[in-house]
Amino acid sequence: MHEFSLATEVINLVQREAQKRNAPVVNEITIEVGSLSGVEAGAFESALKLLSEGSIIENAGLNILRINGIGVCKTCSIEFEMMQRMESCPVCHAFPSEINGGNEFRVISMTIE
Ligand SMILES: [Zn+2]
């Protein structure tokens, strides 16, 4: 369950930021989760809810932006939507392809009081 360690990291990061700005409450956190990042958004959300109990982000809203995976074929250079990390090119079936998006996992914004 590495969603739990990611949730811990996110909470620490947000708490540090809030402290820096002397903010008592965090209203909203927006996180990007790429479909190839290996993070299960639902599991992450549950972990964050559980771990944030009693912290300043306890009542913060969580927005999860899912980013589609993008692969680029090394042989014919077309770009295609990648559903999993090991996917061959839909046109020429070359393998492996380069991953050009979908690995994201990051906090992109937070709203604090
Ligand atoms: Zn190709």
Side-chain angles (χ1 to χ4, degrees), residues 15-57:
Q15 273 177 338
R16 256 201 319 273
E17 273 310 302
Q19 263 163 18
K20 249 191 255 170
R21 304 182 212 174
N22 288 320
V25 175
V26 176
N27 293 326
E28 204 176 65
I29 305 166
T30 303
I31 294 176
E32 261 183 1
V33 180
S35 61
L36 304 175
S37 64
V39 180
E40 215 275 282
F44 172 76
E45 195 171 354
S46 318
L48 193 73
K49 271 216 174 74
L50 203 72
L51 295 170
S52 66
E53 261 176 46
S55 78
I56 59 165
I57 69 162

Side-chain angles (χ1 to χ4, degrees), residues 72-78 80 88-94 97:
V72 179
C73 176
K74 284 181 185 167
T75 306
C76 71
S77 302
I78 67 144
F80 59 96
S88 53
C89 171
V91 176
C92 73
H93 305 290
S97 311

